[in-house]
């Protein structure tokens, strides 16, 4: 992005929208050169819609239950997203499985955050499964979206410790706090033109990443 030019985003949510809030806050502080054109939810009661309204961001609800099948839903969703001409699409707790055509349409310009150290624990209930497996380290990953569920190339991961007395909620909260750090960071890199995806590899400052950039929860992310 040239100086002063903002990257336009469309953010997809299904729930609380705390990651959306982290993006709104980072942009508000001047740390993130983005403009959120719209927040789209598949659920009418997603709290993230209220967060967006408070920030004077346009909101849309596209309820998957009003569509006969996944194909027609994702066709409508893709058209709605395109109407905002975003440079980047952000999945922020959007809890629906995407179709290959939808993913293809936004290839290389759609990011997701997932609450695990991918490729570990794709899918749901990541914190519970990490606890059950006796993991000592857990975390979150930001990745480009491909049509493999939670399987696209990872850009940045943050590791958090699992404490002896953790339950699912405590661990989830510790991970979520770090999600709020790593997601705006990766979006900023993309906005600054420092990130791209080539096949199944991430290019960071023009160099392919051999593995995701790893961060410990005590570290400040690299600029
Ligand atoms: C976050 O923990 C995010 O990583 C997860 O949903 C939560 C949304 O929280 N996403 C997934 O599990 C996607 N597979 P938020 O609505 O408060 O941002």
């Amino acid at each position: 992005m040239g100086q002063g030019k903002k990257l336009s985003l469309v953010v997809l949510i299904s729930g609380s929208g705390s990651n959306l809030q982290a993006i709104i806050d980072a942009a508000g502080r001047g740390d993130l050169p983005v403009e959120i054109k719209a927040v789209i939810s598949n659920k009418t009661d997603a709290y993230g819609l209220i967060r967006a309204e408070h920030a004077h961001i346009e909101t849309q609800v596209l309820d998957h239950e009003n569509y006969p099948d996944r194909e027609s839903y994702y066709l409508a969703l893709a058209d709605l997203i395109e109407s905002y001409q975003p440079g980047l699409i952000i999945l922020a707790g959007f809890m629906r499985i995407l179709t290959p055509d939808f993913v293809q349409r936004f290839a290389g310009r759609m990011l997701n955050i997932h609450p695990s150290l991918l490729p570990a624990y794709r899918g749901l209930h990541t914190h519970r499964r990490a606890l059950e497996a006796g993991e000592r380290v857990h975390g979150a990953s930001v990745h480009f979206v491909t049509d493999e569920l939670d399987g696209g190339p990872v850009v940045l991961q943050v590791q958090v410790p699992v404490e002896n007395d953790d339950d699912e909620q405590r661990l989830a909260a510790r991970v979520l706090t770090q999600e709020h750090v790593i997601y705006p960071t990766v979006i900023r890199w993309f906005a600054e033109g420092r990130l791209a995806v080539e096949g199944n590899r991430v290019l960071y400052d023009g160099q392919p990443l051999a593995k995701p950039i790893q961060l410990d929860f005590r570290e400040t992310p690299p600029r």
Side-chain angles (χ1 to χ4, degrees):
M1 300 265 26
Q3 233 175 7
K5 187 129 190 326
K6 290 187 176 175
L7 175 74
S8 55
L9 305 183
V10 165
V11 182
L12 304 191
I13 61 165
S14 299
S16 158
S18 71
N19 277 289
L20 164 68
Q21 189 70 56
I23 296 163
I24 293 171
D25 292 347
R29 285 194 305 268
D31 282 348
L32 192 54
V34 300
E35 182 181 354
I36 304 176
K37 295 282 183 189
V39 170
I40 304 176
S41 173
N42 65 310
K43 299 222 174 227
T44 41
D45 60 353
Y47 182 66
L49 291 169
I50 294 170
R51 298 181 191 268
E53 281 159 19
H54 282 160
H56 309 290
I57 297 166
E58 193 169 321
T59 59
Q60 297 275 359
V61 175
L62 207 63
D63 188 343
H64 56 276
E65 287 180 0
N66 294 338
Y67 291 80
D69 51 34
R70 290 202 317 139
E71 276 63 32
S72 56
Y73 178 68
Y74 278 104
L75 214 51
L77 182 58
D79 286 345
L80 181 61
I81 293 170
E82 287 286 22
S83 72
Y84 294 99
Q85 301 189 295
L88 184 66
I89 295 100
I90 298 295
L91 305 183
F94 183 70
M95 303 305 277
R96 304 291 304 167
I97 293 179
L98 310 173
T99 58
D101 283 350
F102 180 83
V103 170
Q104 194 50 46
R105 207 155 145 186
F106 302 113
R109 56 184 182 117
M110 184 155 58
L111 291 172
N112 183 40
I113 190 157
H114 183 75
S116 77
L117 295 171
L118 290 170
Y121 307 112
R122 296 176 183 182
L124 297 174
H125 311 303
T126 57
H127 310 299
R128 187 191 312 166
R129 288 155 61 209
L131 284 170
E132 281 167 3
E135 302 285 3
R136 302 313 302 161
V137 178
H138 185 45
S141 308
V142 177
H143 65 94
F144 281 99
V145 177
T146 62
D147 60 17
E148 199 183 336
L149 177 69
D150 300 323
V154 178
V155 182
L156 178 61
Q157 294 186 318
V158 63
Q159 303 187 345
V160 303
V162 181
E163 308 289 356
N164 289 336
D165 56 350
D166 269 349
D167 58 18
E168 206 178 329
Q169 285 70 28
R170 275 173 52 101
L171 182 56
R174 191 174 310 120
V175 172
L176 196 58
T177 303
Q178 297 305 316
E179 293 185 36
H180 300 161
V181 177
I182 62 170
Y183 216 177
T185 299
V186 174
I187 296 167
R188 179 167 48 76
W189 290 342
F190 190 95
E192 291 171 348
R194 299 175 61 191
L195 273 188
V197 64
E198 192 182 67
N200 218 34
R201 289 190 316 181
V202 174
L203 300 182
Y204 177 66
D205 285 341
Q207 300 298 317
L209 286 183
K211 58 182 178 56
I213 301 168
Q214 308 270 352
L215 205 66
D216 178 270
F217 74 106
R218 285 163 296 218
E219 289 174 273
T220 309
R223 283 302 301 176

